[in-house]
Amino acid sequence: MAFDYKKEYKEFYLPKNRPEIIEIPAMNFIAVRGKGNPNDEGGEYKAAIGLLYGIAFTVKMSKKGSRQIEGYFDYVVPPLEGFWWQQGIKGVDYGRKEDFCWLSVIRMPDFVTKEDFAWAIEEASRKKQQDFSKVEFLTIKEGLCVQCMHIGAFDDEPATVAVMDRYVQENGYENDFSADRLHHEIYLSDARRVAPEKWRTVIRHPVKKMG
């Protein structure tokens, strides 16, 4: 049975649809940075997703190729995630999608080293005849956060964020957005197959104790 991060780490990927405070440890990711409206057809964001999955599946399928990654175990590719921000705004303004800056990421298993990642870039570029140079290998430690499962379309997220903000304040915390601590979403639904009102998205915000 392939290791499934969503099932093994439910506290990170399957929270309740009510806010909770959680400490998020360091994790390794492959990542692509970009700007602009994620809904634009042919835009940077959709191209970035293709690059990420190209590398993610190159690593996953390495077991069938010439590179034997030390410590490899079979696993389900973790879900797509995104860190979002806009210049001069703490949090995000959903009415200004064209101003979005984003870091689109997919988690990597701990056995994947920077050397394995470099091999995957070279391997995918050779096999797919495509430029994967925009993909980075990052370690991100979010630390103390509030998170909540949002059910519904992305444009309806402000209602969930408002509930999160209220919970944070009522429990002696405050939001702690900065250049390194960002609005974070984890996408658990296939938007091509699931109706928008049923989409499941983990929303996560950085927080700190008041005072």
Side-chain angles (χ1 to χ4, degrees), residues 141-160:
K141 183 178 181 181
E142 292 183 84
L144 194 64
C145 294
V146 61
Q147 67 180 13
C148 185
M149 182 71 78
H150 170 72
I151 309 294
F154 300 138
D155 285 344
D156 296 333
E157 287 183 8
T160 298

Side-chain angles (χ1 to χ4, degrees), residues 1-210:
M1 184 72 70
F3 186 92
D4 190 334
Y5 284 84
K6 297 189 301 299
K7 294 179 180 178
E8 298 297 332
Y9 295 103
K10 291 181 180 179
E11 66 272 29
F12 302 142
Y13 298 101
L14 298 171
K16 306 292 185 185
N17 58 347
R18 59 178 182 269
E20 62 184 7
I21 301 295
I22 186 169
E23 183 79 23
I24 307 297
M27 302 178 190
N28 293 330
F29 297 90
I30 51 173
V32 177
R33 302 173 190 271
K35 296 180 179 180
N37 189 331
N39 298 322
D40 286 346
E41 286 297 330
E44 280 189 54
Y45 182 73
K46 293 185 177 179
I49 293 174
L51 293 174
L52 288 174
Y53 277 108
I55 299 302
F57 279 99
T58 297
V59 173
K60 174 178 168 60
M61 301 310 295
S62 63
K63 63 182 179 179
K64 295 188 175 182
S66 60
R67 187 176 183 90
Q68 300 302 306
I69 297 177
E70 185 176 354
Y72 181 96
F73 55 80
D74 195 20
Y75 64 98
V76 177
V77 172
L80 180 71
E81 309 183 33
F83 294 88
W84 300 84
W85 70 99
Q86 292 152 316
Q87 300 300 330
I89 295 177
K90 290 190 174 183
V92 295
D93 180 348
Y94 293 83
R96 292 170 47 190
K97 293 185 177 68
E98 68 279 1
D99 294 333
F100 272 137
C101 300
W102 40 264
L103 182 67
S104 190
V105 305
I106 294 176
R107 184 177 180 177
M108 285 284 98
D110 290 342
F111 61 72
V112 178
T113 65
K114 289 183 178 179
E115 290 74 23
D116 296 321
F117 166 73
W119 165 82
I121 293 288
E122 183 177 336
E123 181 77 355
S125 300
R126 180 181 64 82
K127 283 191 171 182
K128 299 178 182 295
Q129 294 296 298
Q130 189 177 349
D131 182 8
F132 286 89
S133 62
K134 288 185 177 180
V135 186
E136 307 172 44
F137 186 89
L138 296 177
T139 300
I140 300 173
K141 183 178 181 181
E142 292 183 84
L144 194 64
C145 294
V146 61
Q147 67 180 13
C148 185
M149 182 71 78
H150 170 72
I151 309 294
F154 300 138
D155 285 344
D156 296 333
E157 287 183 8
T160 298
V161 170
V163 173
M164 293 168 63
D165 288 345
R166 191 159 55 246
Y167 176 86
V168 164
Q169 187 173 22
E170 290 173 352
N171 286 274
Y173 296 87
E174 58 185 336
N175 286 318
D176 189 30
F177 293 106
S178 69
D180 298 316
R181 308 197 75 207
L182 303 164
H183 173 93
H184 183 184
E185 299 180 357
I186 304 175
Y187 309 107
L188 301 176
S189 300
D190 186 339
R192 299 166 300 179
R193 296 182 172 89
V194 179
E197 62 270 18
K198 294 182 179 179
W199 289 351
R200 295 188 304 156
T201 306
V202 180
I203 301 177
R204 188 180 292 161
H205 283 174
V207 297
K208 62 181 178 180
K209 272 287 190 181
M210 282 186 180

